[in-house]
Amino acid sequence: MGAPALNSASPGHVATDLTHHGSPRTAAEGARIIVRLTTLAADAPSGGYFSDAGAQPW
């Protein structure tokens, strides 16, 4: 069995206390990409940077 996939995620500008709730995007919406990446199969691509829109350039 190989090493699990290791990727980076951008949840986008999310309405939290840190951003003074200045975004229409909820924390649950921001978490979608993180949940998707953490549930990838062990043989999934690794070393990428992702947002809801898909792979992003480093």
Side-chain angles (χ1 to χ4, degrees), residues 7-12 25 27-40 49-55:
N7 292 295
S8 179
S10 172
R25 189 172 173 84
E29 291 168 327
R32 281 192 301 231
I33 185 61
I34 297 166
V35 171
R36 186 169 40 149
L37 291 175
T38 60
T39 57
L40 290 174
Y49 176 52
F50 297 88
S51 72
D52 284 342

